[in-house]
Amino acid sequence: MEDLFGGAAPYYAKYRPRYGDPAIQHLAMTFGQGSTVLDLGCGPGTIAIPLAGRVGRLLAVDPDEEMLAEGRRLAGAAGNIRWIKGDSTTLHDLPPFDHVVMGRSFHWMDRRAVLADLDELLPPRGVVALVGPTREDPQEPWEPVMRRVREAFGVNTFTASSSFQATGEHHDDVLATSPFSVLDRAHYEEHLPYDLDAVIGLQLSYSYSAPARLGDRRRAFVETARRELLAANPSGRWERAAVTEVLTARRPPRFP
């Protein structure tokens, strides 16, 4: 995952939607106040920072040093977060943890290998939690315009080889055949306003249109996006219904 988000960290931190307090509180109640939680693929701390004050200790792991630096900056004096450069292949090198959460990062991983490693590393009551859009996540209202812009610049969406889009297996399906096959889910909905700068900033937070991938075409990309978005919607304002799913997975109970 290391160079996928080159230059995207500040845009990710500023423009990616937060998961909302109800979802974070759901995680906190699931994990427990004194637990050590691994946030795997933490980015700039979108989950780690609001969750840290509600659990005992937070291990925030990401392969991108820019994301970790942005997380450290945003976290400020939060003393119970340990920022670690690593990825899903280095789980055995981490300090012990009780639970793991992943927000929009699981699709970049070899999902079955990660779950097998977590089965070795998590304690018997350890929980794997995934936080993000639902399976039926509605299309963003500006997406038809931005898809055309990305196609014009040759940076349209790509996915990891093990993602749902590539394999046809949704995270639910992978979990259901893993050691963590007991699933529970909760949904939290909110309506989020976006202005033109927020929509464009969001594009620069994505792996397929991150500043490093655009290179010296970044300014032209932004200008084209701005022009096309305003042509489609002169108000420069949108509203998006965002549904966050908290999917928790546990091992089946073992009876003597």
Side-chain angles (χ1 to χ4, degrees):
M1 289 196 288
E2 186 159 2
D3 295 314
L4 289 172
F5 292 92
Y11 299 100
Y12 198 114
K14 185 173 183 178
Y15 295 112
R16 286 290 183 105
R18 302 295 180 263
Y19 294 113
D21 191 70
I24 298 299
Q25 184 61 24
H26 183 112
L27 292 171
M29 292 179 65
T30 299
F31 297 150
Q33 189 172 12
S35 61
T36 296
V37 178
L38 166 63
D39 182 357
L40 183 58
C42 64
T46 311
I47 292 176
I49 292 171
L51 182 60
R54 312 184 202 200
V55 297
R57 187 183 184 207
L58 211 303
L59 305 177
V61 174
D62 200 275
D64 190 314
E65 188 56 58
E66 291 180 353
M67 290 287 187
L68 294 172
E70 188 70 13
R72 291 187 190 100
R73 183 185 72 80
L74 294 171
N80 67 331
I81 305 178
R82 180 177 172 185
W83 302 92
I84 303 172
K85 185 172 183 178
D87 59 33
S88 59
T89 67
T90 60
L91 292 172
H92 287 271
D93 299 330
L94 297 175
F97 48 90
D98 301 311
H99 308 285
V100 61
V101 61
M102 291 170 271
R104 295 188 178 95
S105 60
F106 194 41
H107 67 281
W108 290 114
M109 307 174 192
D110 182 338
R111 295 175 292 174
R112 284 192 165 79
V114 169
L115 293 169
D117 284 344
L118 291 175
D119 189 32
E120 294 180 23
L121 295 169
L122 283 172
R125 296 183 181 274
V127 174
V128 176
L130 305 181
V131 186
T134 64
R135 187 190 288 244
E136 296 81 21
D137 192 38
Q139 178 174 267
E140 296 164 336
W142 52 81
E143 175 58 17
V145 174
M146 286 311 310
R147 185 183 298 115
R148 293 196 300 271
V149 173
R150 293 195 305 269
E151 287 172 351
F153 280 80
V155 292
N156 217 343
T157 309
F158 63 85
T159 60
S161 60
S162 63
S163 69
F164 167 61
Q165 293 88 342
T167 67
E169 281 191 299
H170 193 270
H171 295 337
D172 304 37
D173 306 320
V174 174
L175 286 165
T177 58
S178 79
F180 301 92
S181 59
V182 179
L183 307 183
D184 185 60
R185 70 192 74 234
H187 296 148
Y188 301 97
E189 181 173 355
E190 57 183 335
H191 290 264
L192 304 175
Y194 286 81
D195 61 16
L196 186 61
D197 287 341
V199 172
I200 292 175
L202 189 63
Q203 310 311 306
L204 297 175
S205 80
Y206 293 139
S207 58
Y208 43 81
S209 50
R213 188 159 192 231
L214 290 166
D216 57 10
R217 300 181 300 157
R218 173 182 164 188
R219 182 175 179 179
F221 177 86
V222 169
E223 290 175 350
T224 301
R226 185 178 295 272
R227 182 179 66 250
E228 295 298 321
L229 287 165
L230 285 175
N233 180 7
S235 74
R237 296 191 177 277
W238 296 260
E239 184 178 271
R240 178 192 174 201
V243 181
T244 296
E245 178 178 82
V246 179
L247 174 63
T248 55
R250 296 173 170 84
R251 302 179 182 93
R254 297 178 180 177
F255 300 101

